[in-house]
Amino acid sequence: MTENATAPLIEFAGVTKRFGALTVLDNFNFEVAPGEKVTLIGPSGSGKSTVLRILMTLEPFQEGRLTLDGLSYQEPGGTGPFRASERHLREIRSRVGMVFQSFNLFPHMSVMRNVAEAPVRVLGLSREEAQARAVDLLALVGLSDKKDHFPSQLSGGQQQRVAIARALAMRPRVLLFDEPTSALDPQLVGEVLAVIGDLAHEHDLTMLLVTHEMRFAREVSDRVCFFDKGRICEQGTPDAIFTAPSHPRTCEFLASVLR
Amino acid sequence: MMYGFTWDTATPLTYAWSILPIILIGLTVTLKAAAAGFAIALVLGLVFAMLRRSRFRSVSWTTACVVEFLRDTPLLVQLFFLYYVLPEYGLTLPAFLTGALALGLQYSAYTSEVYRGGIEAVPRGQWEAATALNLTRMQTYRDIVVPQIVPRILPAMGNYMVAMIKETPVLSVITVLDMMALANMIGERTFEYLVPLTMVGLIFLILTLICSAGLHRLQKVLPKAGIPLR
């Protein structure tokens, strides 16, 4: 990474994550600068989704250090699998948002409510303020006319766009995308990528994207990281990774997906 | 004579007609006991189910023991215990309240299992989305989980409601004057049990049929996705 005047927003230092006997992240080191758009690619099971899930506090890790915006994920003397209090974890979560592969919209809530609920409950906005925010965001993702629909009445692509609006409504500093188009029919992928692509121009928003859409990764990212067996085995600018990969595993992977 | 009503045992029909007001007074007690008991079971069952999912091993384990105990001891024993033993320790509750509490406690053990099944059937992604939106656990239960499990748990809850209604006569053993107790008393005085007991049976049948029909109706109108929030 080039020398940057600002401190990294996210810093993994020697993080090891195990599921039983399986080591998913192995002494993992990774830094993300504020506003950076980073794409994580690699074969499945290589640990890239786990990086996002750890950042979102959905998974604890066993060893190493992780900080986000100066906050350490583990507190000294913290208990439980996360070795941190719920209050501390919520402090971290207030800075992070996530978009899931399977959208995970709340099926019993209207689109409007899906987007406006957490700002009311968590940020303490009034219903009116939250709905105004939701209206703006739904316009941003091109779904102004769907605000009174329920998720089951929307296509997958529309649902994922609502999920993006929902995550943005919390004004996170970091937005995580965990294979946001993998569950979509091919003809719906484009509309979701277009929204994510627009967001990539927001220079305050830090984005981490796990995807198999290589062409898209090349267009939107500042940096591409190739994962293999719980480590980043090669990273660089999209051009460097896609045109001149140096590691044999990267070459092999790209050859298999870029056919 | 009872509650100011006299009975006429000339024919079964006049007998039935004359004691109907008394039985109906008992019915209101039965209904109140069932309603109070089921309200307790609905609330307490959810609390048990949530405590059982607590991250703290001591809390979930203790709750599991309490639920198991309530589930595996007879209602009658619990009823006598609350009614006769607690007063020895200075806690005296009116018979009706004791009865409703005993019904509620026992059935909360059953409903907690229904809630638990419902909660476990909520996809993990829903919890993860709630976490990602920084909702607290209480908010997640209230806004995300409970509204979604209602359609799923409704049939099982309905069964327990009907079962509980049918168990209310047991309260007569601690002097609650429900429909069954009154019918029995009428029988004792007239030496005519057939009519009052048949009436009680029929009224229970009507009651449970109404409940079943209502639940069926509710299941049809309630969206599968849960209580809709706009």
Side-chain angles (χ1 to χ4, degrees):
Chain A
M1 224 171 102
T2 52
E3 197 55 42
N4 202 327
T6 48
L9 183 67
I10 297 167
E11 188 175 5
F12 285 79
V15 169
T16 295
K17 161 78 186 169
R18 296 186 206 91
F19 286 111
L22 181 74
T23 303
V24 192
L25 292 179
D26 184 12
N27 193 18
F28 179 73
N29 295 298
F30 180 50
E31 289 182 4
V32 181
E36 201 180 4
K37 321 291 184 248
V38 183
T39 304
L40 316 182
I41 61 171
S44 54
S46 58
K48 48 200 196 313
S49 284
T50 305
V51 168
L52 302 195
R53 294 177 58 79
I54 286 176
L55 279 168
M56 193 65 258
T57 73
L58 297 174
E59 302 279 358
F61 55 93
Q62 283 80 31
E63 284 158 37
R65 238 184 53 247
L66 171 59
T67 54
L68 181 141
D69 200 11
L71 282 173
S72 172
Y73 271 59
Q74 298 181 333
E75 288 181 301
T79 55
F82 286 91
R83 282 183 276 153
S85 66
E86 182 66 15
R87 211 181 117 187
H88 184 73
L89 293 174
R90 296 195 69 224
E91 186 68 34
I92 294 169
R93 284 177 205 139
S94 71
R95 292 156 165 79
V96 189
M98 187 157 179
V99 174
F100 298 88
Q101 179 178 352
S102 50
F103 333 134
N104 297 348
L105 290 182
F106 304 127
H108 60 300
M109 289 186 186
S110 67
V111 164
M112 174 59 104
R113 189 87 181 224
N114 260 285
V115 180
E117 188 71 4
V120 171
R121 299 288 189 210
V122 179
L123 305 181
L125 265 59
S126 71
R127 208 36 81 195
E128 293 70 36
E129 289 171 313
Q131 288 185 346
R133 189 182 279 194
V135 165
D136 289 347
L137 288 168
L138 289 173
L140 182 79
V141 300
L143 291 171
S144 295
D145 54 331
K146 302 287 186 195
K147 68 181 168 60
D148 296 319
H149 287 57
F150 282 85
S152 59
Q153 298 167 307
L154 304 180
S155 72
Q158 290 169 333
Q159 288 190 50
Q160 192 60 297
R161 286 187 280 154
V162 173
I164 293 170
R166 180 176 73 170
L168 287 171
M170 298 300 284
R171 306 249 165 105
R173 294 203 59 186
V174 180
L175 194 49
L176 312 170
F177 292 91
D178 188 8
E179 302 197 25
T181 57
S182 297
L184 297 175
D185 291 341
Q187 78 274 16
L188 301 176
V189 169
E191 62 188 64
V192 172
L193 292 184
V195 169
I196 301 173
D198 286 345
L199 287 178
H201 298 305
E202 301 265 338
H203 79 263
D204 282 342
L205 186 67
T206 306
M207 279 172 38
L208 265 68
L209 173 70
V210 171
T211 188
H212 296 294
E213 300 288 334
M214 295 303 153
R215 194 179 305 150
F216 181 71
R218 189 168 182 171
E219 281 167 26
V220 300
S221 2
D222 300 321
R223 176 160 54 121
V224 175
C225 301
F226 174 72
F227 275 64
D228 192 47
K229 300 195 178 80
R231 288 177 178 224
I232 295 174
C233 77
E234 184 171 3
Q235 59 177 316
T237 62
D239 283 339
I241 295 288
F242 288 114
T243 54
S246 59
H247 197 283
R249 288 290 291 137
T250 320
C251 303
E252 201 180 306
F253 176 75
L254 290 177
S256 71
V257 294
L258 291 177
R259 258 179 313 177
Chain B
M1 193 167 114
M2 202 181 280
Y3 293 127
F5 297 99
T6 44
W7 37 75
D8 170 8
T9 51
T11 69
L13 221 59
T14 56
Y15 183 34
W17 184 248
S18 65
I19 62 171
L20 185 62
I22 303 169
I23 301 283
L24 289 182
I25 288 170
L27 174 63
T28 62
V29 175
T30 294
L31 288 176
K32 278 185 206 157
F38 203 63
I40 293 170
L42 281 181
V43 175
L44 206 59
L46 182 58
V47 172
F48 282 152
M50 284 164 60
L51 289 178
R52 216 166 152 173
R53 288 178 60 92
S54 166
R55 271 162 296 193
F56 302 102
R57 196 68 64 77
S58 55
V59 175
S60 61
W61 193 81
T62 312
T63 313
C65 287
V66 170
V67 168
E68 209 53 40
F69 177 81
L70 287 172
R71 216 156 56 128
D72 296 343
T73 51
L75 178 59
L76 199 59
V77 175
Q78 292 173 18
L79 201 58
F80 278 0
F81 192 88
L82 289 177
Y83 194 63
Y84 294 114
V85 180
L86 285 188
E88 286 182 30
Y89 296 91
L91 187 65
T92 310
L93 296 172
F96 176 81
L97 218 56
T98 309
L101 193 64
L103 280 174
L105 276 173
Q106 169 129 82
Y107 276 81
S108 67
Y110 301 142
T111 57
S112 83
E113 290 297 303
V114 176
Y115 281 121
R116 204 159 72 104
I119 292 169
E120 273 164 15
V122 171
R124 206 165 61 136
Q126 293 289 304
W127 293 92
E128 291 184 348
T131 302
L133 291 168
N134 214 358
L135 295 170
T136 64
R137 247 172 120 75
M138 277 311 282
Q139 288 169 336
T140 304
Y141 273 113
R142 190 188 56 195
D143 300 330
I144 313 299
V145 176
V146 172
Q148 286 191 56
I149 65 174
V150 169
R152 263 185 287 229
I153 64 174
L154 206 58
M157 284 297 181
N159 285 342
Y160 281 125
M161 186 168 82
V162 168
M164 175 185 273
I165 292 172
K166 289 192 299 178
E167 259 194 288
T168 51
V170 84
L171 301 197
S172 59
V173 301
I174 57 160
T175 74
V176 174
L177 292 177
D178 75 323
M179 196 157 55
M180 181 64 199
L182 291 178
N184 199 33
M185 282 162 70
I186 294 168
E188 278 165 6
R189 307 229 194 132
T190 59
F191 304 107
E192 265 292 351
Y193 285 96
L194 177 67
V195 170
L197 290 184
T198 307
M199 286 170 75
V200 169
L202 279 177
I203 291 175
F204 269 115
L205 180 66
I206 293 166
L207 217 53
T208 50
L209 285 177
I210 291 172
C211 284
S212 301
L215 281 161
H216 202 71
R217 188 73 197 231
L218 203 56
Q219 275 175 60
K220 277 200 168 154
V221 297
L222 199 66
K224 289 262 182 304
I227 297 167
L229 301 174
R230 285 186 188 278

